[in-house]
Amino acid sequence: MSSIELFSNPAGLKGKDFLSLSQFNSDEITGLLESALMMKKEAKEGKFPPYLKGKTLGMIFEKSSTRTRVSFEVGMYQLGGNAIFLSSKDLQLGRGESVEDTAKVLSRYLDGIMIRTFAHKTVETFSENATIPIINGLTDLHHPTQVLADLLTILEHKGKLKGLNVCYIGDGNNNMCHSWIEGAVKMGMNLSIACPDEYAPDQTIASSAMNEARTTGFSIKITSCPKTAINGADVVITDVWTSMGQEAENEKRLHDFKDFQVSADLVEHATSDFIFLHCLPAHRGEEVTSEVIDGGHSVVLDEAENRLHAQKAILRAIMGDGMV
């Protein structure tokens, strides 16, 4: 593991929402990463300062979850607070109560809300109507908490973020790719995306990031050739070809993405010390081979663990003392 390049950042985020990485600057993201590293070190030493003593997080789930639910729930416990699991099937939301009314009422009980849902508009509506911080635990458009954990993992293994070459292979029009586009441009990383033409990233997100990247000297490139994208990559990332809610498209997607599998042959074009990331769950034999995801370059378990530490940093920053 490389020594870690850290930066000073006393910025405060108390009371702010966490909907996408585009709303933060590089110093704020760096501050969250520093806070996560500090609390991870404390946890390894058995130290759990009660930064959120007496605070309660409501967790609304319209999509099933393993890592998101467990990491947020454990994170709140380790921070001295409480977490309440709220299935959309059990809430009045499932019987037609408006998002607006739900946000206003829950704001009277809770100190923050994390939502894992389909439409990004849902978290935006919560944000517009709640008087407490809202965290996007995943939507079809963005997955910012996962990419913050990815950045933390890369920082630990590479010692820096700025200037690294990152390659994302697979569905460009999904939440992981969109959040990676925003995260890469904020942190000064070169991002190459390999995807079929009909699965290109959201045009608004991509264009905005490309314009920002041009002013910093870094690049975001989109290609339909995986070998071109992965050439010289320090970090290789993929995700499932069929996400939740797209099951009816599975057979078509298996055909459309058959040339985009991350295999041992493909990663030969990356750097000799590349690391491989996948947000999980993975479909071995589809988007990635077992040889790669279970091989020596894979850091997917570190990445999964870092959901806990990255989210603790978010929770402390927006629900606690505001310091990152």
Side-chain angles (χ1 to χ4, degrees), residues 147-158:
V147 172
L148 188 69
D150 289 3
L151 293 170
L152 179 61
T153 307
I154 295 167
L155 181 59
E156 287 182 316
H157 284 269
K158 291 295 185 181

Side-chain angles (χ1 to χ4, degrees), residues 235-301:
V235 181
V236 178
I237 305 168
T238 192
D239 192 10
V240 295
W241 293 340
T242 304
S243 298
M244 283 180 284
Q246 299 172 336
E247 289 80 6
E249 306 171 21
N250 187 55
E251 289 303 316
K252 181 179 187 303
R253 285 173 171 268
L254 289 176
H255 174 268
D256 292 346
F257 288 101
K258 60 183 174 60
D259 296 326
F260 290 81
Q261 183 184 75
V262 180
S263 64
D265 289 340
L266 184 60
V267 298
E268 286 291 325
H269 298 275
T271 59
S272 60
D273 62 345
F274 82 94
I275 57 174
F276 173 77
L277 281 75
H278 191 306
C279 63
L280 303 179
H283 297 160
R284 288 166 173 79
E286 290 185 13
E287 74 272 8
V288 62
T289 63
S290 296
E291 189 175 5
V292 173
I293 194 171
D294 299 318
H297 292 272
S298 176
V299 295
V300 297
L301 294 181

Side-chain angles (χ1 to χ4, degrees), residues 20-40:
S20 72
L21 292 178
S22 65
Q23 70 190 91
F24 303 100
N25 61 41
S26 59
D27 284 343
E28 290 169 331
I29 295 173
T30 298
L32 289 169
L33 295 173
E34 288 183 330
S35 179
L37 287 169
M38 180 196 72
M39 287 190 285
K40 183 174 183 177

Side-chain angles (χ1 to χ4, degrees), residues 4-18:
I4 296 173
E5 178 183 332
L6 292 176
F7 308 84
S8 175
N9 174 39
L13 299 176
K14 185 175 178 64
K16 292 189 176 182
D17 294 330
F18 193 89

Side-chain angles (χ1 to χ4, degrees), residues 14-317:
K14 185 175 178 64
K16 292 189 176 182
D17 294 330
F18 193 89
L19 306 187
S20 72
L21 292 178
S22 65
Q23 70 190 91
F24 303 100
N25 61 41
S26 59
D27 284 343
E28 290 169 331
I29 295 173
T30 298
L32 289 169
L33 295 173
E34 288 183 330
S35 179
L37 287 169
M38 180 196 72
M39 287 190 285
K40 183 174 183 177
K41 181 176 183 293
E42 288 176 338
K44 299 300 183 184
E45 295 171 350
K47 301 174 183 176
F48 300 97
Y51 297 116
L52 295 184
K53 184 178 180 180
K55 300 292 182 73
T56 302
L57 175 73
M59 306 187 303
I60 299 175
F61 286 86
E62 291 188 325
K63 284 189 174 184
S64 58
S65 168
T66 298
R67 281 152 291 276
T68 298
R69 177 178 178 179
V70 176
S71 57
F72 269 108
E73 196 159 334
V74 172
M76 281 299 295
Y77 174 79
Q78 291 185 356
L79 291 168
N82 300 289
I84 301 176
F85 174 77
L86 302 168
S87 168
S88 61
K89 297 177 182 178
D90 299 327
L91 294 172
Q92 295 294 344
L93 270 173
R95 299 180 62 247
E97 183 169 28
S98 71
V99 171
E100 291 84 352
D101 284 352
T102 302
K104 292 171 184 176
V105 170
L106 292 182
S107 293
R108 303 292 184 103
Y109 304 140
L110 304 168
D111 301 286
I113 299 172
M114 186 282 298
I115 311 168
R116 182 176 170 93
T117 187
F118 293 90
H120 192 71
K121 180 62 178 176
T122 299
V123 297
E124 292 178 332
T125 303
F126 260 97
S127 174
E128 292 164 1
N129 289 274
T131 57
I132 55 176
I134 303 298
I135 300 172
N136 175 9
L138 175 146
T139 66
D140 288 343
L141 194 63
H142 293 288
H143 200 354
T145 58
Q146 176 65 60
V147 172
L148 188 69
D150 289 3
L151 293 170
L152 179 61
T153 307
I154 295 167
L155 181 59
E156 287 182 316
H157 284 269
K158 291 295 185 181
K160 65 175 185 177
L161 297 176
K162 189 174 182 179
L164 290 179
N165 297 317
V166 179
C167 173
Y168 176 94
I169 300 174
D171 185 358
N173 191 26
N174 86 343
N175 49 26
M176 279 299 296
C177 188
H178 292 153
S179 287
W180 251 109
I181 289 171
E182 296 182 344
V185 72
K186 295 294 182 182
M187 305 314 294
M189 308 169 85
N190 298 306
L191 177 64
S192 293
I193 300 165
C195 60
D197 291 336
E198 66 178 290
Y199 296 92
D202 177 89
Q203 186 62 41
T204 301
I205 293 172
S207 296
S208 175
M210 286 178 175
N211 289 336
E212 187 173 349
R214 276 191 285 269
T215 67
T216 63
F218 297 97
S219 65
I220 296 175
K221 299 178 180 178
I222 303 172
T223 177
S224 58
C225 178
K227 287 184 179 179
T228 298
I230 203 172
N231 186 47
D234 302 297
V235 181
V236 178
I237 305 168
T238 192
D239 192 10
V240 295
W241 293 340
T242 304
S243 298
M244 283 180 284
Q246 299 172 336
E247 289 80 6
E249 306 171 21
N250 187 55
E251 289 303 316
K252 181 179 187 303
R253 285 173 171 268
L254 289 176
H255 174 268
D256 292 346
F257 288 101
K258 60 183 174 60
D259 296 326
F260 290 81
Q261 183 184 75
V262 180
S263 64
D265 289 340
L266 184 60
V267 298
E268 286 291 325
H269 298 275
T271 59
S272 60
D273 62 345
F274 82 94
I275 57 174
F276 173 77
L277 281 75
H278 191 306
C279 63
L280 303 179
H283 297 160
R284 288 166 173 79
E286 290 185 13
E287 74 272 8
V288 62
T289 63
S290 296
E291 189 175 5
V292 173
I293 194 171
D294 299 318
H297 292 272
S298 176
V299 295
V300 297
L301 294 181
D302 291 344
E303 178 188 9
E305 178 190 341
N306 279 337
R307 287 293 302 277
L308 170 63
H309 308 298
Q311 286 159 191
K312 284 171 66 177
I314 297 168
L315 291 165
R316 180 190 173 189

